[in-house]
Amino acid sequence: MDKNKQKLALILGIVSILCLGIIISFNSKKEEKMYVPEVKELPLRVDTVPVEFNIINEEGTNFIECSYENKSSVDIMNFVLEVSFKDTNEQKSITFNNLVKAGETSEIVKINAPASANKDDVEILKYKISTTDGVYMEYDVKLNQYNWS
């Protein structure tokens, strides 16, 4: 009889240990936290950097004069506009490489104008902006989507 009691006690001990292991396993899974990446605030909105286009004619050639005003609260060190000419679907980049502090206006950049010589034929596709605090952001006009790092 003592052997039967020992076997029963051994079996009950093993079953108890297994049950305890299963309970601990379920509890530890409940306590696991999913990684939620930190979402930083949008550094600036493109409506705080209004762009101006003017068509000029120099010696029979039409050009677009482009500038922007930095109405944001951050300093911009690089600003690129990807544009398309609606009349020909030609795509161009307009690049501003000078520092434009908050509240200031950029220099004027000139590029060849669309064949129509109509500033309404210039469509902004994408904004690419680098700020002095190390942020790079893009805004896709068609997707209405910001991306930044």
Side-chain angles (χ1 to χ4, degrees), residues 13 15 17 20 36 38 43 75 79 82 95 102 116 125-126 145 147:
V15 169
I17 291 172
L20 184 62
V36 178
E38 180 183 341
D75 296 341
F79 186 94
E82 289 184 7
T95 303
S116 67
L125 303 174
K126 192 176 278 191
Q145 180 178 356
N147 292 305

PDB file of all heavy atoms in Angstrom, residues 13 15 17 20 36 38 43 75 79 82 95 102 116 125-126 145 147:
ATOM      1  N   GLY A  13       1.902  15.151  -7.820  1.00  0.00           N
ATOM      2  CA  GLY A  13       2.949  16.185  -7.837  1.00  0.00           C
ATOM      3  C   GLY A  13       3.287  16.615  -9.258  1.00  0.00           C
ATOM      4  O   GLY A  13       3.404  17.809  -9.559  1.00  0.00           O
ATOM      5  N   VAL A  15       1.369  16.248 -11.972  1.00  0.00           N
ATOM      6  CA  VAL A  15       0.202  16.934 -12.535  1.00  0.00           C
ATOM      7  C   VAL A  15       0.115  18.357 -11.989  1.00  0.00           C
ATOM      8  O   VAL A  15      -0.177  19.306 -12.729  1.00  0.00           O
ATOM      9  CB  VAL A  15      -1.089  16.129 -12.253  1.00  0.00           C
ATOM     10  CG1 VAL A  15      -2.331  16.932 -12.581  1.00  0.00           C
ATOM     11  CG2 VAL A  15      -1.080  14.821 -13.023  1.00  0.00           C
ATOM     12  N   ILE A  17       2.570  20.288 -10.947  1.00  0.00           N
ATOM     13  CA  ILE A  17       3.639  21.082 -11.559  1.00  0.00           C
ATOM     14  C   ILE A  17       3.267  21.465 -12.995  1.00  0.00           C
ATOM     15  O   ILE A  17       3.459  22.602 -13.413  1.00  0.00           O
ATOM     16  CB  ILE A  17       4.980  20.321 -11.506  1.00  0.00           C
ATOM     17  CG1 ILE A  17       5.472  20.235 -10.056  1.00  0.00           C
ATOM     18  CG2 ILE A  17       6.032  20.996 -12.389  1.00  0.00           C
ATOM     19  CD1 ILE A  17       6.676  19.351  -9.863  1.00  0.00           C
ATOM     20  N   LEU A  20       0.566  24.160 -12.883  1.00  0.00           N
ATOM     21  CA  LEU A  20       1.163  25.423 -12.477  1.00  0.00           C
ATOM     22  C   LEU A  20       1.934  26.051 -13.643  1.00  0.00           C
ATOM     23  O   LEU A  20       1.838  27.247 -13.886  1.00  0.00           O
ATOM     24  CB  LEU A  20       2.085  25.196 -11.267  1.00  0.00           C
ATOM     25  CG  LEU A  20       2.720  26.443 -10.667  1.00  0.00           C
ATOM     26  CD1 LEU A  20       1.643  27.390 -10.143  1.00  0.00           C
ATOM     27  CD2 LEU A  20       3.672  26.055  -9.545  1.00  0.00           C
ATOM     28  N   VAL A  36       4.232  49.567 -29.459  1.00  0.00           N
ATOM     29  CA  VAL A  36       3.526  50.636 -30.146  1.00  0.00           C
ATOM     30  C   VAL A  36       4.552  51.729 -30.427  1.00  0.00           C
ATOM     31  O   VAL A  36       5.081  52.337 -29.500  1.00  0.00           O
ATOM     32  CB  VAL A  36       2.372  51.200 -29.281  1.00  0.00           C
ATOM     33  CG1 VAL A  36       1.673  52.339 -29.994  1.00  0.00           C
ATOM     34  CG2 VAL A  36       1.397  50.093 -28.922  1.00  0.00           C
ATOM     35  N   GLU A  38       6.360  55.156 -31.203  1.00  0.00           N
ATOM     36  CA  GLU A  38       6.044  56.524 -30.805  1.00  0.00           C
ATOM     37  C   GLU A  38       5.732  57.344 -32.057  1.00  0.00           C
ATOM     38  O   GLU A  38       6.497  57.367 -33.005  1.00  0.00           O
ATOM     39  CB  GLU A  38       7.247  57.139 -30.082  1.00  0.00           C
ATOM     40  CG  GLU A  38       7.021  58.548 -29.629  1.00  0.00           C
ATOM     41  CD  GLU A  38       8.251  59.153 -28.995  1.00  0.00           C
ATOM     42  OE1 GLU A  38       9.153  58.397 -28.588  1.00  0.00           O
ATOM     43  OE2 GLU A  38       8.314  60.382 -28.920  1.00  0.00           O
ATOM     44  N   PRO A  43       5.923  67.797 -38.141  1.00  0.00           N
ATOM     45  CA  PRO A  43       6.833  68.931 -37.939  1.00  0.00           C
ATOM     46  C   PRO A  43       6.307  70.254 -38.490  1.00  0.00           C
ATOM     47  O   PRO A  43       6.512  71.305 -37.898  1.00  0.00           O
ATOM     48  CB  PRO A  43       8.107  68.513 -38.656  1.00  0.00           C
ATOM     49  CG  PRO A  43       7.751  67.362 -39.504  1.00  0.00           C
ATOM     50  CD  PRO A  43       6.494  66.769 -38.987  1.00  0.00           C
ATOM     51  N   ASP A  75      12.947  76.497 -38.920  1.00  0.00           N
ATOM     52  CA  ASP A  75      13.794  76.980 -40.007  1.00  0.00           C
ATOM     53  C   ASP A  75      13.953  75.874 -41.044  1.00  0.00           C
ATOM     54  O   ASP A  75      14.189  74.708 -40.693  1.00  0.00           O
ATOM     55  CB  ASP A  75      15.166  77.404 -39.476  1.00  0.00           C
ATOM     56  CG  ASP A  75      15.075  78.581 -38.509  1.00  0.00           C
ATOM     57  OD1 ASP A  75      14.053  79.292 -38.523  1.00  0.00           O
ATOM     58  OD2 ASP A  75      16.038  78.789 -37.742  1.00  0.00           O
ATOM     59  N   PHE A  79      14.363  72.781 -49.535  1.00  0.00           N
ATOM     60  CA  PHE A  79      12.962  72.704 -49.933  1.00  0.00           C
ATOM     61  C   PHE A  79      12.935  72.345 -51.410  1.00  0.00           C
ATOM     62  O   PHE A  79      13.545  73.033 -52.229  1.00  0.00           O
ATOM     63  CB  PHE A  79      12.316  74.077 -49.694  1.00  0.00           C
ATOM     64  CG  PHE A  79      10.831  74.138 -49.912  1.00  0.00           C
ATOM     65  CD1 PHE A  79       9.956  73.973 -48.861  1.00  0.00           C
ATOM     66  CD2 PHE A  79      10.308  74.403 -51.168  1.00  0.00           C
ATOM     67  CE1 PHE A  79       8.578  74.073 -49.053  1.00  0.00           C
ATOM     68  CE2 PHE A  79       8.943  74.500 -51.371  1.00  0.00           C
ATOM     69  CZ  PHE A  79       8.072  74.335 -50.315  1.00  0.00           C
ATOM     70  N   GLU A  82       8.335  69.032 -56.436  1.00  0.00           N
ATOM     71  CA  GLU A  82       8.204  68.269 -57.679  1.00  0.00           C
ATOM     72  C   GLU A  82       6.927  68.760 -58.325  1.00  0.00           C
ATOM     73  O   GLU A  82       5.860  68.736 -57.706  1.00  0.00           O
ATOM     74  CB  GLU A  82       8.144  66.771 -57.400  1.00  0.00           C
ATOM     75  CG  GLU A  82       9.459  66.204 -56.942  1.00  0.00           C
ATOM     76  CD  GLU A  82       9.419  64.701 -56.753  1.00  0.00           C
ATOM     77  OE1 GLU A  82       8.406  64.056 -57.102  1.00  0.00           O
ATOM     78  OE2 GLU A  82      10.402  64.165 -56.241  1.00  0.00           O
ATOM     79  N   THR A  95      14.283  73.493 -56.743  1.00  0.00           N
ATOM     80  CA  THR A  95      15.064  73.277 -55.527  1.00  0.00           C
ATOM     81  C   THR A  95      15.516  74.595 -54.912  1.00  0.00           C
ATOM     82  O   THR A  95      16.088  75.442 -55.600  1.00  0.00           O
ATOM     83  CB  THR A  95      16.303  72.409 -55.833  1.00  0.00           C
ATOM     84  OG1 THR A  95      15.856  71.176 -56.416  1.00  0.00           O
ATOM     85  CG2 THR A  95      17.099  72.111 -54.587  1.00  0.00           C
ATOM     86  N   ALA A 102      12.089  80.878 -39.996  1.00  0.00           N
ATOM     87  CA  ALA A 102      10.657  81.061 -39.752  1.00  0.00           C
ATOM     88  C   ALA A 102      10.310  82.536 -39.932  1.00  0.00           C
ATOM     89  O   ALA A 102      11.011  83.414 -39.426  1.00  0.00           O
ATOM     90  CB  ALA A 102      10.298  80.591 -38.353  1.00  0.00           C
ATOM     91  N   SER A 116       2.458  76.493 -72.425  1.00  0.00           N
ATOM     92  CA  SER A 116       1.277  77.357 -72.436  1.00  0.00           C
ATOM     93  C   SER A 116       1.558  78.738 -71.851  1.00  0.00           C
ATOM     94  O   SER A 116       0.761  79.651 -72.034  1.00  0.00           O
ATOM     95  CB  SER A 116       0.149  76.705 -71.640  1.00  0.00           C
ATOM     96  OG  SER A 116       0.504  76.653 -70.264  1.00  0.00           O
ATOM     97  N   LEU A 125       3.216  68.314 -57.257  1.00  0.00           N
ATOM     98  CA  LEU A 125       2.986  66.895 -56.978  1.00  0.00           C
ATOM     99  C   LEU A 125       3.452  66.521 -55.578  1.00  0.00           C
ATOM    100  O   LEU A 125       2.801  65.737 -54.879  1.00  0.00           O
ATOM    101  CB  LEU A 125       3.732  66.028 -58.002  1.00  0.00           C
ATOM    102  CG  LEU A 125       3.401  66.260 -59.465  1.00  0.00           C
ATOM    103  CD1 LEU A 125       4.318  65.429 -60.349  1.00  0.00           C
ATOM    104  CD2 LEU A 125       1.938  65.914 -59.728  1.00  0.00           C
ATOM    105  N   LYS A 126       4.622  67.057 -55.201  1.00  0.00           N
ATOM    106  CA  LYS A 126       5.212  66.644 -53.929  1.00  0.00           C
ATOM    107  C   LYS A 126       6.062  67.764 -53.346  1.00  0.00           C
ATOM    108  O   LYS A 126       6.746  68.478 -54.069  1.00  0.00           O
ATOM    109  CB  LYS A 126       6.077  65.402 -54.144  1.00  0.00           C
ATOM    110  CG  LYS A 126       6.499  64.714 -52.857  1.00  0.00           C
ATOM    111  CD  LYS A 126       7.256  63.446 -53.139  1.00  0.00           C
ATOM    112  CE  LYS A 126       6.294  62.329 -53.426  1.00  0.00           C
ATOM    113  NZ  LYS A 126       6.935  61.019 -53.462  1.00  0.00           N
ATOM    114  N   GLN A 145      -0.856  62.854 -48.240  1.00  0.00           N
ATOM    115  CA  GLN A 145      -0.168  62.060 -47.228  1.00  0.00           C
ATOM    116  C   GLN A 145       1.180  62.665 -46.872  1.00  0.00           C
ATOM    117  O   GLN A 145       1.970  63.004 -47.734  1.00  0.00           O
ATOM    118  CB  GLN A 145       0.039  60.638 -47.757  1.00  0.00           C
ATOM    119  CG  GLN A 145       0.730  59.734 -46.793  1.00  0.00           C
ATOM    120  CD  GLN A 145       0.865  58.326 -47.356  1.00  0.00           C
ATOM    121  OE1 GLN A 145       0.375  58.015 -48.421  1.00  0.00           O
ATOM    122  NE2 GLN A 145       1.524  57.467 -46.613  1.00  0.00           N
ATOM    123  N   ASN A 147       4.831  62.099 -44.828  1.00  0.00           N
ATOM    124  CA  ASN A 147       5.799  61.135 -44.300  1.00  0.00           C
ATOM    125  C   ASN A 147       6.983  61.936 -43.786  1.00  0.00           C
ATOM    126  O   ASN A 147       7.425  62.863 -44.452  1.00  0.00           O
ATOM    127  CB  ASN A 147       6.272  60.161 -45.390  1.00  0.00           C
ATOM    128  CG  ASN A 147       5.171  59.229 -45.844  1.00  0.00           C
ATOM    129  OD1 ASN A 147       4.569  58.539 -45.039  1.00  0.00           O
ATOM    130  ND2 ASN A 147       4.910  59.237 -47.135  1.00  0.00           N
TER     131      ASN A 147
END
